[in-house]
Amino acid sequence: MHKPSKAELAAAHGTVIDDLIAPGLNVLFCGINPGLWSAATGFHFARPGNRFWPALHAAGFTPRLFAASEQKLLPGLGLGITNVVARATARADELTADEFVAGGQRLVSVVLECRPRFLAVVGVGAYRTAFDAPKATVGLQDKVIGDTRVWVLPNPSGLNAQWQLPALAAEFGRLREAATPSRPPRRP
């Protein structure tokens, strides 16, 4: 993956990157919105310092640490990626509450169409605004969309210093354990 130039980053402002969605996913991860680095490269959670990919691997979702440029491997593992708000910004605080609410409505439609077992929103603030859940905390939510359970994870951005990688990995691991389909009982 190439390092975007300042001009490429500036040109990426307001653009959209494609969702990584397939029917029958086990977990659909949902970011807040693409950052400029992600929009410039076309890969989710691509900015160096973002801990999504290391947390995903440390939690056991992937067999090895994937680079953002390998995101197309995720559907084969039952995983996908989307965002609450589709447009790229330099910072999430550039988004309006109305954009989050509209993004939450779009997300409900996406989930009802592709029907993942779990929707995992990475960012409690984004979840609170998008789904009018001001008291939501990290973890399994009471909200269900169709048959899809909703889980909120901490934002893996390197700017979220209160969550270090071991704690992020532990939270991602709690979701992985909940999302792992039960194995059939062993036969004697």
Side-chain angles (χ1 to χ4, degrees), residues 21-30 78 80 82 104 106-121 127 131 139-152 175 178-179:
I21 297 176
L25 295 173
N26 200 27
V27 179
L28 176 59
F29 290 94
C30 179
T82 188
R106 181 196 73 85
L107 194 53
V108 166
S109 296
V110 167
V111 167
L112 290 173
E113 184 176 325
C114 74
R115 301 176 56 203
R117 290 187 67 232
F118 282 86
L119 170 67
V121 180
Y127 176 79
F131 291 98
L140 182 64
Q141 306 300 302
D142 290 334
K143 181 168 189 62
V144 177
I145 302 170
D147 293 330
T148 300
R149 302 299 314 260
V150 178
W151 198 287
V152 174
L175 168 61

Side-chain angles (χ1 to χ4, degrees), residues 23-174:
L25 295 173
N26 200 27
V27 179
L28 176 59
F29 290 94
C30 179
I32 296 169
N33 77 306
L36 298 181
W37 196 291
S38 288
T41 62
F43 301 117
H44 294 273
F45 301 103
R47 183 173 184 81
N50 190 298
R51 297 159 306 167
F52 175 80
W53 297 100
L56 201 65
H57 172 62
F61 278 109
T62 60
R64 62 176 173 78
L65 178 59
F66 287 176
S69 60
E70 297 178 288
Q71 69 183 22
K72 295 276 188 198
L73 298 174
L74 292 182
L77 299 172
L79 308 173
I81 304 175
T82 188
N83 290 288
V84 176
V85 177
R87 79 177 178 97
T89 60
R91 296 177 322 274
D93 64 4
E94 295 177 43
L95 303 171
T96 67
D98 288 344
E99 285 179 288
F100 279 109
V101 171
Q105 293 167 350
R106 181 196 73 85
L107 194 53
V108 166
S109 296
V110 167
V111 167
L112 290 173
E113 184 176 325
C114 74
R115 301 176 56 203
R117 290 187 67 232
F118 282 86
L119 170 67
V121 180
V122 293
V124 69
Y127 176 79
R128 287 174 178 162
T129 304
F131 291 98
D132 192 26
K135 295 184 181 185
T137 60
V138 168
L140 182 64
Q141 306 300 302
D142 290 334
K143 181 168 189 62
V144 177
I145 302 170
D147 293 330
T148 300
R149 302 299 314 260
V150 178
W151 198 287
V152 174
L153 292 166
N155 183 342
S157 167
L159 299 174
N160 187 7
Q162 86 180 58
W163 286 91
Q164 296 301 311
L165 183 56
L168 279 171
E171 288 299 324
F172 275 63
R174 288 179 55 222

